[in-house]
């Protein structure tokens, strides 16, 4: 178990490995032309065993159970009950009525760090990447974070784990990382 500012050895290993391969730049540029629409018109649709769902609704059902949009939870017994979730950034309880879907690497930041040059299909996949880049979090936390990168915002708990997820997304998608973000990741993980 981690303490609020502790870390798992695997997170340290991940950050160390990814920082060796990520292209580092002096500072985050601001690239003209960003808009949310450059990453697709809303959430992507997916056909799953839970129904025809958009990415947001599927994440809500996975986190809280119940139903959302065209998605329905089925825990194997046919039950569709709802449950509370735990915010990954604060560890506070949350329910579906006060949450947002957070892009760990924000879309605006990704645009600035290299996504501006991607084809539209790659940007759409990035915006809907549930395995690496999306997490359900409390609305106020997500809005505080906004389009910040590591040097501008870290969660109050499990900072190294957050840095590990962030650099994994950056590395897997071939984005760049600013020197300040690299330093923040190193400090958060005691590297």
């Amino acid at each position: 178990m981690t303490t609020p500012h502790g870390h798992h050895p695997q997170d340290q290993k991940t950050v160390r490995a990814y920082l060796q391969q990520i292209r580092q730049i002096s500072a985050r540029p601001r690239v003209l032309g960003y808009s949310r629409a450059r990453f697709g018109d809303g959430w992507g649709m997916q056909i799953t065993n839970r129904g025809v769902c958009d990415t947001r609704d599927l994440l809500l059902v996975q986190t809280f159970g119940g139903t959302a949009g065209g998605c329905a939870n089925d825990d194997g017994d046919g039950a569709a009950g709802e449950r509370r979730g735990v915010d990954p950034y604060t560890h506070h309880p949350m329910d579906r009525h006060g949450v947002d879907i957070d892009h760990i690497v924000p879309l605006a930041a990704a645009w600035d760090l290299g996504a501006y040059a991607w084809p539209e299909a790659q940007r759409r996949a990035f915006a809907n990447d549930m395995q690496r880049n999306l997490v359900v979090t409390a609305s106020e936390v997500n809005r505080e974070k906004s389009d910040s990168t590591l040097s501008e915002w870290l969660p109050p708990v499990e900072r190294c784990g957050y840095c590990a997820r962030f650099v994994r997304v950056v590395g897997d998608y071939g984005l760049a990382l600013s020197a300040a973000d690299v330093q923040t990741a190193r400090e958060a993980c005691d590297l």
Side-chain angles (χ1 to χ4, degrees):
M1 175 128 184
T2 60
T3 59
H5 299 292
H7 44 267
H8 295 286
Q10 184 58 45
D11 292 333
Q12 283 182 301
K13 184 178 177 182
T14 297
V15 170
R16 186 179 291 113
Y18 273 91
L19 290 183
Q20 290 176 4
Q21 73 177 20
I22 291 172
R23 182 173 59 91
Q24 295 179 28
I25 56 178
S26 60
R28 174 183 171 182
R30 295 296 176 164
V31 178
L32 297 177
Y34 168 76
S35 75
R36 171 63 175 91
R38 297 283 185 129
F39 289 81
D41 57 347
W43 296 107
M45 296 303 290
Q46 303 185 34
I47 299 173
T48 72
N49 60 349
R50 298 176 191 264
V52 177
C53 313
D54 70 23
T55 303
R56 181 181 195 284
D57 290 339
L58 184 55
L59 283 164
L60 290 173
V61 168
Q62 287 175 345
T63 302
F64 301 110
T67 62
C71 294
N73 185 49
D74 183 355
D75 66 5
D77 298 325
E82 292 213 16
R83 60 188 173 271
R84 292 180 63 86
V86 175
D87 184 278
Y89 297 152
T90 64
H91 290 179
H92 295 152
M94 61 181 188
D95 64 41
R96 75 170 58 236
H97 302 293
V99 298
D100 289 340
I101 308 302
D102 178 46
H103 290 90
I104 295 189
V105 175
L107 301 182
W111 177 266
D112 292 342
L113 298 172
Y116 66 88
W118 294 347
E120 183 180 335
Q122 186 174 359
R123 287 195 298 265
R124 190 176 316 110
F126 179 85
N128 288 279
D129 186 343
M130 293 176 31
Q131 302 306 313
R132 291 177 283 198
N133 197 34
L134 295 175
V135 65
V136 178
T137 187
S139 297
E140 64 271 9
V141 175
N142 186 49
R143 292 168 191 171
E144 174 189 301
K145 176 188 169 191
S146 186
D147 72 344
S148 299
T149 61
L150 297 177
S151 61
E152 301 161 326
W153 185 88
L154 287 175
V157 298
E158 296 189 28
R159 291 178 169 184
C160 183
Y162 175 79
C163 289
R165 287 194 72 181
F166 195 100
V167 299
R168 180 181 294 121
V169 172
V170 168
D172 287 354
Y173 279 92
L175 297 170
L177 202 58
S178 74
D181 291 333
V182 169
Q183 184 62 31
T184 298
R186 286 187 175 131
E187 289 173 1
C189 295
D190 294 326
L191 300 178

